[in-house]
Amino acid sequence: MAAPASVCIPVVLDAFILNAAVADDSDAKIAPITQPNYTFLRLDHQNIQNDILDHVDLHYTSPREHNSRVTDLGTGNPLSKRFGAYISWTLPRAYRSGTAATTTNAANQTRKQQQGYPASTPTPDYSAPEFRPVPTRWLVVRLIDTGTVTPQLPESIAKTIRCRAWVVESDLQSIWDNLDDTVDLQVDVSPFVAPSRENALSNVAQQAEVFIGHRFDIGAWSENEKTKNDPTVRIKPLSLLNSSNHLFADFQHHNSNVFSMLDDFSYTDGNNVKQVMELATASYYVIGWHADPTEDPFYMPSALASLQQRVNDLKMSVDGSTGNVSDDITNWLGTMEATTTLSHGAIYDVSWARDSAPIVRPAKNTAISLTANGPNVPVAIGTTPTDALVTYVAAHKDAEKPGLVKDLEGDLWAIRTLLLAQDDGADPQLKATDMLYNYGYQRTDGGIEWHRSGSTDKDGTQPLAGQTGPLIELQTKQSALDNMARAINFLRWQLFSVWWRYVSGADGDPASQTNQANIRNQQVTPLLNRLKILLGSLTEPNSFLWLQNEVVKLSQQLPVEKGASPNFCLQKDPTLMVGGIDPGWPADFLDDLSIRLDFQLLQAAPSTDTRWGPYDTPNNTDGLVQTILAKLPISIQKAAASLLREFPLLHAGDVGQPTAGTFAPLYHDHGAPDIVAAAATASATNPNSPLPPLPWRDRWNGQPWFPLFVEWEAEYFHIPFEDWGLDERKMPGPTGVHYWFRYGINDGVQLQDKVSDTRTASGRILLLPQPSFSLQSAIEQLLHNLSAEELNGYGMTPTELTNLKNYIYLLPYLSHTLGGLTDHLVTRVQGTHIKPTQRPPGEKLTAMDAAVSASSVIGVGADQILLQDTETHVTPYGRSIQTLSTQSASQHPAFKPVTHGQLRFTQLNIIDKFGQAISAIDPTPALSPPRIAPALADQYVCQESSPGVPNVVQGNLKPPFCEFVQLPPSINQPTRLNAVMTMKDVNGWRATYDWDSPIWGWVVVNYVENAIQLFLPDGTFYREVRHGGTPGGHVTPAWSPFPKPSMPTNPAQLDFLIAKLIDHTYLEAFFNMINEALGLIPAAPNSYAQYLNSIVGKPLALVNMGWSLELATPPLQNESVLNLLPQDRLLLPASTPQLPSGQDPKNPAPPLSTPQYSFPLKLGDSERTYDGLIGFWKSSTSPSQPSGFDLDNLFTYWDSPSLPNSPTKLIQKSNFPCLSAFHVSPDAFASNGTDTVNLSPTDYQNVWNQNLSIFSAIIDPFTAIHGYSGILPIQSLSLPSWTVESAMNKMLAFFHTGPLIITQDVPPYVPNNTVPQNNAIAIPAVGAAQWEWLQPYDVPAGSTTAIDDNPVTPAGTEVPPPTYMGLGLAKVDTVPRFENAPYVAIEGILQLVEPIMKQPVTN
């Protein structure tokens, strides 16, 4: 049975011309070839380095005589054999994405094979990432129109160059010793790390001598069946994952004759002398296939999946598979058999000139525009890609640009906040600002929370009998387990750090036995002992494995479901955006890839075009096509023949309408379909300024420009923490100036020439396609969510927003974070480096033999290396990285636990896939190096020392230009701002559980009586404090007018508050605060109208809450041995016990007097109506404050400054509460002071609770309150909805009334009467509600009869409260009827039984 039709996958081809004229360009520089130096992988302290790839050196690139890429600097001779056309193909997305499972089982293996990944090895690890093998054979065909060749060649020579073909074997290994002198190691082969399961020291040392890739002329090539699957000769499998080089797939310098090749346009003349064509026009075609069919993505060892499933898994789509689908395609998609894949691509009419540069050079134009305005470069710094783009648009919106680009930037500016929030008005603008601020942080796992299954978590019902203890035990053990897991991972990296510092010689001579013993005894052994105790076993209580088992057992026994604890957060490194630079990636690169089946290819007869003869011949005997096909695997010959004949057919460009069932290939077009349609629409609607014609994507349109990575370097100036403050700062917006809270330099601090604490940081940014595509996605989301009316509020129509989406591709920019900045500040460095472990694709982690041999003498053998797990991604500074500080009296520590400073760029280079480089800062050495002034987002703007003059540490640019980026304080390791509702038990304050109510009372304003009503947490009325009467407030008896509940909540905290409210000033200030706040906080939700107290006033909750600042792991520590100065400020107190962590003992402990960081916390905000804080009291241990809170000082945004001795204090910078970081170590020193023991889960939880800063607060129960720290995302805290709903259902609205004159006396008192007597009282009342009259009666204690006439109460005795009985109301009008006397005057309480109406309020 014939195999299903082959799959033809399109790839993008680029051709770069390199000649002497190009190399001489001083604008678009030609970077020297910088390849991975695998010598740095050797476990030799003289060779091992943190990164195998050095930064590209652009200091001397032109003239070409100084450039090592085109000149032999030893002899001065030009390297002319490197001149020519570099052909490079971009691998499709299917080969760039991998898979990894979260669990390890056979089902994952089946799923991976269904997706087209190779079968697993005998020791699989399904959680290990795995990439698909790439094609390892690439046919490259060149056609030259000899009519374009200069000099004109005789036919005998011309026919040898018209059509040529080569085969690139990407997986062929070479050893340096086996390569002869004719091989150029930088152009003819590519360095590669050959994967091997035998990694002895000798094998690792040979890695620097391994190369892959080789190019054969088609006439000399044939598939070597004996060696094509031999792992000693081939890289098996060859995938992008096992390359150990992030640039391998795309950087031509790193993949010569693997995914690229050089055509030098040489030929042999009649005298058998090699010559180079002066001029020529060539077209190239590439076909790739898998030499090993089992590595093909469409290979299926059995009927695991249909071809339709495989196409979907590969993010592809078959042309013609939508709409009216033919039977052939339907049948093919339903097939469950293997087939073959051919990757193919073309580039037509590449113009070669030996002595002149191409006319079209985008890199040169970009380089000129990048520096055209001096320091005002098109560079922006923001917190996110969108923030950086908006910042760039704001800074350059007035610059001269092409009309459509200027319009697009204007539209982006109009909807800048809509990209983050989709509401209108000033308050949503603030929400957008807060959201943008929160986006500036990266999240790390915070652990697991357990909740009771179903709805019980939301209704406040107590757990079933016997479940409360186990539920608390489960969460307590889970929290301890999560904390222990984080600590273990921290220690795993510390173990790797010890290993790295030893093998790199950072901790002394690795060969010294004394040094080995010191490291083993002082660093390794204590660290391993601690890890052993933490990990423990199933039978060792409080160990990791024991806790893990306990959590599994408890979670299976209880009706619980898993949730996520709040994340720990780390400030993202700033995002860099460079405008005016087109990304090299195709605009549709992330779309599903359009593929064709071999019967869908354009049908072409053998070409009779003599320009390329003999390429193909009608008799199918002696053409190049026939030569090629005879050497290809039989399984792909049919598809390859069609592709090879389609190649010249498409040279003409537009070939008309294809016949039914056939399709032109992707990239033989003018762009993605939506872009082509958008361009046509734009030109039709703007005939006076149409878009320029879109070029063919498979046509050479001049020198390519494909930015691939950015290399940056910067100086960081560490500004003392005491010079910073958290305060309100202006933020201009479209609806006016708003204020937001962030850190800034304190008023009066002048930084000029004050800061001497400096560091150098650098990094490399890979330019991936995601940023620009994510912006387009955000705009599409806006189109989906917003109405025309909402858009109109921003001055845009849906059509304009649609145009913005369609044309966004025309906005040229690059964007990415400055990765590595934070790591440098904590003396760690990112880079590709040797690791002591290895993981072949899909297999388990194993220890490298070479690593074991190198470090076993210090007690780090195979088992200890495996303890490091995967915590090996960044390396310690050790001795490899220099800092600007030196050991002198004026030196500062290199390690910075908290960032707070300013930064300026000293290097900013953009390098494309062919090594073209442009620089925002001229790299030529100079005494006064040039500076740039990037546009800065609000988060990074430097303040002004005087109007128009930035307050910076050094000023080399004339104002208003500012070369510095201000980096406000942020902790340089994952941290969490905890916010919990709290309650007190026998162990002190603790966070509440799902079934706990954190409310200790309710406050309701009784406007009728000018009083404050206080309720218990469950909504039961307690007491009322009224204005008037005796000096101060008048307090009603407890519970009156209602009977005392049988089991009331302890009202002690309410009593402490009432004792303060009795004071007239306190009561008035309290009343004023609530009145002003209620006018600004959000209206209650619609559901609120169903509760009885809606007639009186919005209830406010009294709660206790706790806030704390928690480190995810122990504090990081200095990893540099070139700078051993202790930190000048610590995250934890200097007195914190230093448990074993593998720290170099030469690192001195900080003096006990070293200050600790303390961070202010702003609670609530009056400008943000979505915040529900009314006021708060700080906790107090003073004997004068028996409540545990300083009730004399009520902090609020609605104070009463005109009241003498007012208890309300305006929340401001001077009285922000401050938090210091804490970390609960999962273990502690044993009684011997040397060994460690694990904390019990209960002890851990108690210590965690003890680190909470407790506040008592009055809040809006329907609205979250927020904490603003300036160093972490804004944290919100809200009440569980059930606590509000259950209280509202019990609250009763009432107010005192009288005296009233009625014509009939009230009925006699009836003991224990719970049913109101109907129509007992006739008074005018509001007719739209149901009311009840509560009549007071004097009933002596123990009596059931009311006293008609009150006796005189002896002086000094308390008047007992009256007893109330409910009476119904008879509705009467107000017309006088002059009833007979006697009349009766009464006083009582009017109580609303039902709400007057459902108020049409919105949330």
Side-chain angles (χ1 to χ4, degrees):
M1 181 176 177
S6 296
V7 177
C8 300
I9 300 177
V11 298
V12 176
L13 257 63
D14 290 298
F16 170 71
I17 301 300
L18 179 63
N19 57 26
V22 171
D24 270 335
D25 195 333
S26 60
D27 296 313
K29 301 172 176 62
I30 300 302
I33 294 177
T34 305
Q35 290 183 322
N37 189 342
Y38 292 118
T39 302
F40 295 161
L41 296 178
R42 293 177 176 173
L43 290 172
D44 177 343
H45 71 279
Q46 295 177 336
N47 289 309
I48 189 171
Q49 293 292 327
N50 307 76
D51 194 353
I52 62 173
L53 185 61
D54 290 329
H55 276 210
V56 176
D57 186 357
L58 299 178
H59 287 91
Y60 295 104
T61 59
S62 63
R64 64 181 183 275
E65 289 79 12
H66 297 160
N67 192 331
S68 62
R69 181 169 179 180
V70 295
T71 301
D72 185 334
L73 299 183
T75 64
N77 295 328
L79 298 174
S80 301
K81 64 179 182 179
R82 294 185 176 183
F83 292 156
Y86 288 81
I87 311 302
S88 173
W89 43 96
T90 301
L91 291 175
R93 189 158 59 116
Y95 295 113
R96 298 170 179 271
S97 56
T99 184
T102 55
T103 58
T104 299
N105 55 47
N108 288 320
Q109 161 62 9
T110 302
R111 179 61 184 139
K112 288 174 71 172
Q113 286 188 276
Q114 288 174 341
Q115 293 174 324
Y117 292 93
S120 295
T121 58
T123 58
D125 181 355
Y126 303 115
S127 63
E130 187 170 3
F131 281 50
R132 295 181 179 86
V134 299
T136 52
R137 299 293 182 272
W138 298 91
L139 170 71
V140 182
V141 178
R142 184 193 72 187
L143 299 182
I144 288 183
D145 180 355
T146 52
T148 67
V149 175
T150 300
Q152 186 174 357
L153 302 175
E155 178 59 23
S156 59
I157 298 175
K159 68 179 182 181
T160 65
I161 66 170
R162 284 195 184 102
C163 55
R164 288 192 64 181
W166 303 266
V167 171
V168 170
E169 292 194 359
S170 300
D171 60 348
L172 183 61
Q173 288 190 63
S174 303
I175 304 300
W176 186 14
D177 292 343
N178 298 335
L179 298 174
D180 59 36
D181 293 342
T182 62
V183 175
D184 187 330
L185 297 180
Q186 292 187 322
V187 174
D188 296 334
V189 290
S190 297
F192 196 81
V193 175
S196 171
R197 290 177 178 79
E198 297 180 1
N199 280 299
L201 284 171
S202 57
N203 298 100
V204 174
Q206 291 175 357
Q207 290 297 336
E209 303 173 2
V210 175
F211 299 86
I212 64 169
H214 193 83
R215 185 185 70 178
F216 300 86
D217 189 276
I218 188 63
W221 178 81
S222 63
E223 186 65 73
N224 190 327
E225 297 296 332
K226 292 183 179 180
T227 67
K228 75 174 185 180
N229 293 319
D230 185 349
T232 65
V233 179
R234 309 284 180 178
I235 301 295
K236 292 284 294 179
L238 177 62
S239 74
L240 301 187
L241 181 67
N242 62 15
S243 67
S244 299
N245 177 4
H246 298 303
L247 300 175
F248 172 63
D250 300 298
F251 197 26
Q252 191 278 322
H253 290 188
H254 295 181
N255 60 33
S256 292
N257 287 333
V258 178
F259 306 126
S260 66
M261 61 157 268
L262 168 63
D263 177 13
D264 61 4
F265 290 94
S266 64
Y267 64 94
T268 302
D269 65 13
N271 297 319
N272 205 30
V273 176
K274 183 178 179 181
Q275 302 288 349
V276 175
M277 303 173 213
E278 296 177 10
L279 298 173
T281 299
S283 298
Y284 297 88
Y285 199 66
V286 168
I287 298 177
W289 70 95
H290 294 265
D292 182 351
T294 65
E295 294 179 351
D296 194 295
F298 279 87
Y299 172 75
M300 294 186 192
S302 58
L304 291 173
S306 68
L307 291 176
Q308 174 72 77
Q309 289 175 280
R310 183 62 55 83
V311 167
N312 294 342
D313 288 334
L314 292 167
K315 306 297 182 187
M316 297 177 179
S317 64
V318 177
D319 281 342
S321 61
T322 59
N324 188 15
V325 184
S326 70
D327 292 342
D328 289 341
I329 296 177
T330 301
N331 293 336
W332 187 91
L333 292 172
T335 302
M336 302 182 73
E337 297 180 35
T339 188
T340 53
T341 299
L342 289 87
S343 299
H344 66 95
I347 187 165
Y348 296 98
D349 294 340
V350 178
S351 179
W352 159 253
R354 187 188 63 186
D355 300 321
S356 61
I359 297 174
V360 178
R361 286 176 285 168
K364 182 178 182 66
N365 297 336
T366 303
I368 293 172
S369 63
L370 189 62
T371 57
N373 296 315
N376 188 23
V377 292
V379 174
I381 303 293
T383 55
T384 65
T386 302
D387 184 38
L389 177 59
V390 169
T391 299
Y392 166 78
V393 170
H396 299 277
K397 61 181 184 293
D398 297 327
E400 290 296 327
K401 300 186 183 77
L404 186 55
V405 171
K406 191 174 183 66
D407 291 342
L408 292 172
E409 291 184 353
D411 290 342
L412 270 178
W413 177 246
I415 63 164
R416 59 196 181 281
T417 51
L418 276 177
L419 291 171
L420 297 167
Q422 298 177 7
D423 295 309
D424 195 11
D427 197 60
Q429 301 288 350
L430 292 176
K431 275 189 178 180
T433 301
D434 290 348
M435 290 169 62
L436 176 61
Y437 174 81
N438 286 353
Y439 290 161
Y441 293 85
Q442 61 189 53
R443 271 72 174 170
T444 60
D445 183 28
I448 292 171
E449 288 181 352
W450 292 98
H451 303 278
R452 286 179 293 161
S453 300
S455 62
T456 53
D457 290 338
K458 300 176 182 178
D459 59 19
T461 57
Q462 294 296 308
L464 298 176
Q467 286 187 357
T468 302
L471 283 168
I472 295 175
E473 180 185 1
L474 171 60
Q475 187 55 61
T476 302
K477 287 181 174 177
Q478 181 67 65
S479 299
L481 176 66
D482 294 335
N483 183 61
M484 188 171 283
R486 293 189 293 267
I488 288 172
N489 284 339
F490 171 83
L491 295 176
R492 291 186 195 277
W493 187 87
Q494 293 298 141
L495 183 58
F496 167 69
S497 176
V498 174
W499 177 87
W500 179 272
R501 295 198 310 267
Y502 167 71
V503 298
S504 65
D507 285 347
D509 183 3
S512 165
Q513 293 185 357
T514 301
N515 190 49
Q516 293 168 1
N518 289 338
I519 295 173
R520 182 172 58 250
N521 298 331
Q522 298 176 12
Q523 298 180 63
V524 175
T525 300
L527 183 55
L528 291 175
N529 288 341
R530 187 180 175 199
L531 270 169
K532 179 182 177 182
I533 293 171
L534 284 172
L535 288 166
S537 68
L538 295 176
T539 59
E540 294 179 85
N542 305 325
S543 69
F544 178 81
L545 293 175
W546 180 83
L547 283 171
Q548 197 173 48
N549 188 54
E550 288 288 299
V551 166
V552 171
K553 288 192 302 184
L554 284 168
S555 64
Q556 292 173 346
Q557 296 168 2
L558 293 167
V560 291
E561 55 191 26
K562 187 183 296 185
S565 294
N567 291 323
F568 289 90
C569 296
L570 176 67
Q571 175 80 55
K572 291 179 182 176
D573 290 328
T575 296
L576 170 75
M577 201 219 76
V578 184
I581 298 182
D582 288 305
W585 299 95
D588 51 355
F589 185 78
L590 295 183
D591 295 345
D592 285 355
L593 186 64
S594 295
I595 60 175
R596 298 177 297 165
L597 309 181
D598 60 22
F599 58 76
Q600 295 179 302
L601 302 179
L602 299 182
Q603 303 302 306
S607 174
T608 58
D609 195 326
T610 58
R611 289 179 297 171
W612 300 308
Y615 173 68
D616 196 7
T617 55
N619 56 14
N620 295 323
T621 55
D622 57 353
L624 179 62
V625 170
Q626 288 70 45
T627 301
I628 293 171
L629 293 176
K631 299 196 172 193
L632 297 183
I634 295 175
S635 59
I636 67 171
Q637 285 183 5
K638 176 186 174 184
S642 296
L643 289 171
L644 288 169
R645 292 189 172 114
E646 189 181 69
F647 170 42
L649 174 69
L650 295 176
H651 180 268
D654 189 355
V655 293
Q657 182 66 34
T659 58
T662 65
F663 301 87
L666 182 69
Y667 306 126
H668 184 72
D669 52 41
H670 297 282
D674 56 341
I675 291 177
V676 173
T681 301
S683 297
T685 55
N686 297 281
N688 295 327
S689 56
L691 289 176
L694 294 174
W696 288 96
R697 289 202 283 179
D698 60 359
R699 191 80 48 184
W700 195 75
N701 299 297
Q703 199 79 299
W705 171 234
F706 194 129
L708 191 60
F709 60 96
V710 175
E711 292 182 338
W712 62 272
E713 183 182 82
E715 286 180 286
Y716 169 75
F717 294 76
H718 197 61
I719 300 171
F721 186 67
E722 54 269 22
D723 290 340
W724 296 83
L726 181 67
D727 206 351
E728 264 189 343
R729 307 197 185 277
K730 291 183 179 181
M731 185 201 74
T735 58
V737 175
H738 301 289
Y739 293 84
W740 63 318
F741 284 83
R742 65 170 188 173
Y743 274 95
I745 303 300
N746 289 324
D747 294 340
V749 175
Q750 295 293 326
L751 298 177
Q752 184 73 31
D753 300 325
K754 175 184 177 181
V755 179
S756 60
D757 188 356
T758 61
R759 285 289 321 280
T760 297
S762 60
R764 181 179 298 111
I765 300 170
L766 300 184
L767 298 175
L768 303 176
Q770 284 80 358
S772 58
F773 299 140
S774 63
L775 176 62
Q776 189 170 23
S777 298
I779 296 173
E780 288 176 349
Q781 189 69 26
L782 286 178
L783 277 171
H784 179 74
N785 291 341
L786 294 180
S787 66
E789 291 75 16
E790 289 172 312
L791 280 173
N792 188 57
Y794 285 80
M796 290 194 73
T797 65
T799 301
E800 288 173 325
L801 191 59
T802 301
N803 290 341
L804 178 60
K805 177 187 78 75
N806 291 338
Y807 308 145
I808 196 69
Y809 74 95
L810 290 174
L811 284 182
Y813 70 93
L814 305 175
S815 177
H816 207 283
T817 57
L818 289 174
L821 174 59
T822 299
D823 281 325
H824 273 289
L825 296 180
V826 292
T827 58
R828 302 182 181 196
V829 61
Q830 299 178 4
T832 303
H833 54 270
I834 190 170
K835 300 178 181 180
T837 55
Q838 62 175 353
R839 174 180 267 170
E843 297 190 26
K844 292 182 177 179
L845 204 68
T846 58
M848 284 179 53
D849 298 335
V852 174
S853 300
S855 60
S856 58
V857 291
I858 61 168
V860 181
D863 292 339
Q864 293 74 32
I865 285 174
L866 289 179
L867 271 179
Q868 299 170 26
D869 201 45
T870 57
E871 299 296 320
T872 56
H873 54 288
V874 294
T875 57
Y877 262 25
R879 194 176 294 276
S880 301
I881 307 295
Q882 297 284 344
T883 70
L884 292 183
S885 300
T886 56
Q887 291 194 10
S888 65
S890 62
Q891 184 191 13
H892 302 276
F895 178 81
K896 310 297 182 190
V898 179
T899 297
H900 40 86
Q902 292 180 349
L903 172 144
R904 68 177 173 191
F905 290 101
T906 55
Q907 173 184 300
L908 190 58
N909 300 325
I910 303 167
I911 295 93
D912 96 323
K913 71 181 299 181
F914 293 104
Q916 297 178 97
I918 63 176
S919 303
I921 302 174
D922 188 350
T924 305
L927 293 177
S928 298
R931 305 294 182 190
I932 61 172
L936 302 176
D938 293 328
Q939 179 79 354
Y940 301 118
V941 171
C942 296
Q943 295 149 261
E944 294 182 342
S945 58
S946 59
V949 179
N951 189 7
V952 293
V953 294
Q954 292 182 10
N956 293 327
L957 293 179
K958 292 182 179 180
F961 293 122
C962 178
E963 66 201 80
F964 283 93
V965 181
Q966 184 156 296
L967 302 177
S970 62
I971 298 176
N972 289 332
Q973 65 182 89
T975 311
R976 180 167 63 191
L977 180 59
N978 294 312
V980 294
M981 294 296 181
T982 59
M983 62 189 305
K984 207 169 189 177
D985 60 17
V986 293
N987 293 318
W989 291 103
R990 66 165 175 83
T992 55
Y993 298 112
D994 289 333
W995 54 87
D996 292 326
S997 172
I999 301 170
W1000 56 269
W1002 292 89
V1003 172
V1004 174
V1005 177
N1006 184 340
Y1007 292 108
V1008 176
E1009 301 180 75
N1010 204 21
I1012 297 292
Q1013 294 179 342
L1014 300 162
F1015 294 77
L1016 295 184
D1018 64 354
T1020 300
F1021 176 75
Y1022 181 47
R1023 303 184 85 166
E1024 184 176 72
V1025 183
R1026 304 179 201 158
H1027 277 292
T1030 58
H1034 172 70
V1035 183
T1036 63
W1039 322 113
S1040 180
F1042 308 104
K1044 179 179 180 179
S1046 58
M1047 297 182 63
T1049 306
N1050 183 357
Q1053 200 165 352
L1054 273 174
D1055 287 336
F1056 286 122
L1057 176 59
I1058 291 169
K1060 295 296 182 182
L1061 290 173
I1062 293 174
D1063 177 78
H1064 174 78
T1065 301
Y1066 203 108
L1067 180 60
E1068 185 172 352
F1070 195 83
F1071 204 96
N1072 292 343
M1073 174 189 72
I1074 294 177
N1075 273 340
E1076 292 183 33
L1078 288 178
L1080 293 175
I1081 62 177
N1086 288 328
S1087 59
Y1088 171 64
Q1090 67 182 302
Y1091 302 119
L1092 298 181
N1093 56 346
S1094 60
I1095 191 65
V1096 176
K1098 187 176 184 180
L1100 302 174
L1102 296 164
V1103 300
N1104 295 318
M1105 57 184 183
W1107 296 75
S1108 63
L1109 195 62
E1110 181 183 9
L1111 301 180
T1113 66
L1116 304 184
Q1117 52 201 20
N1118 178 36
E1119 300 293 341
S1120 171
V1121 301
L1122 299 179
N1123 184 308
L1124 297 175
L1125 287 180
Q1127 301 172 42
D1128 48 19
R1129 193 178 289 266
L1130 304 171
L1131 283 173
L1132 297 188
S1135 58
T1136 303
Q1138 300 298 308
L1139 294 167
S1141 64
Q1143 177 64 49
D1144 184 347
K1146 294 190 292 295
N1147 260 321
L1152 292 178
S1153 60
T1154 306
Q1156 183 184 6
Y1157 279 100
S1158 180
F1159 302 96
L1161 174 68
K1162 178 182 180 294
L1163 294 173
D1165 185 38
S1166 58
E1167 275 204 2
R1168 287 159 168 79
T1169 60
Y1170 49 87
D1171 185 88
L1173 180 70
I1174 309 300
F1176 69 89
W1177 299 274
K1178 297 179 181 179
S1179 56
S1180 172
T1181 57
S1182 170
S1184 64
Q1185 299 290 346
S1187 67
F1189 295 96
D1190 181 8
L1191 297 182
D1192 293 330
N1193 293 287
L1194 174 53
F1195 296 96
T1196 180
Y1197 296 100
W1198 301 277
D1199 60 335
S1200 299
S1202 60
L1203 280 178
N1205 302 317
S1206 171
T1208 52
K1209 304 294 189 294
L1210 181 66
I1211 297 174
Q1212 53 190 337
K1213 178 180 177 180
S1214 60
N1215 56 35
F1216 289 163
C1218 290
L1219 301 178
S1220 293
F1222 80 97
H1223 172 70
V1224 183
S1225 175
D1227 53 350
F1229 280 119
S1231 56
N1232 61 15
T1234 303
D1235 298 328
T1236 58
V1237 293
N1238 296 332
L1239 293 183
S1240 71
T1242 301
D1243 288 341
Y1244 161 77
Q1245 194 63 54
N1246 287 339
V1247 176
W1248 192 93
N1249 285 328
Q1250 290 164 10
N1251 280 280
L1252 290 170
S1253 293
I1254 305 297
F1255 304 90
S1256 196
I1258 178 169
I1259 67 172
D1260 176 2
F1262 303 104
T1263 309
I1265 59 177
H1266 299 82
Y1268 303 84
S1269 65
I1271 58 170
L1272 285 169
I1274 299 166
Q1275 183 63 274
S1276 63
L1277 179 63
S1278 57
L1279 285 171
S1281 59
W1282 69 264
T1283 62
V1284 179
E1285 293 168 3
S1286 61
M1288 293 291 174
N1289 284 322
K1290 291 186 69 174
M1291 280 185 178
L1292 299 175
F1294 62 92
F1295 49 85
H1296 290 78
T1297 304
L1300 298 175
I1301 304 297
I1302 60 175
T1303 58
Q1304 296 181 3
D1305 197 1
V1306 297
Y1309 174 73
V1310 179
N1312 303 318
N1313 178 43
T1314 58
V1315 179
Q1317 298 186 28
N1318 291 331
N1319 303 328
I1321 302 292
I1323 61 173
V1326 179
Q1330 183 178 348
W1331 297 85
E1332 180 182 4
W1333 179 266
L1334 300 182
Q1335 176 63 38
Y1337 293 85
D1338 288 327
V1339 181
S1343 173
T1344 60
T1345 305
I1347 301 173
D1348 290 335
D1349 297 314
N1350 289 333
V1352 176
T1353 303
T1357 61
E1358 183 178 351
V1359 178
T1363 300
Y1364 289 83
M1365 185 177 73
L1367 302 175
L1369 294 180
K1371 298 177 182 178
V1372 297
D1373 56 36
T1374 58
V1375 177
R1377 290 181 174 80
F1378 306 105
E1379 288 89 342
N1380 295 327
Y1383 295 165
V1384 178
I1386 62 171
E1387 291 186 83
I1389 293 175
L1390 197 60
Q1391 175 181 300
L1392 184 64
V1393 178
E1394 294 178 350
I1396 296 177
M1397 59 178 291
K1398 290 188 180 295
Q1399 301 177 12
V1401 294
T1402 57
N1403 190 358

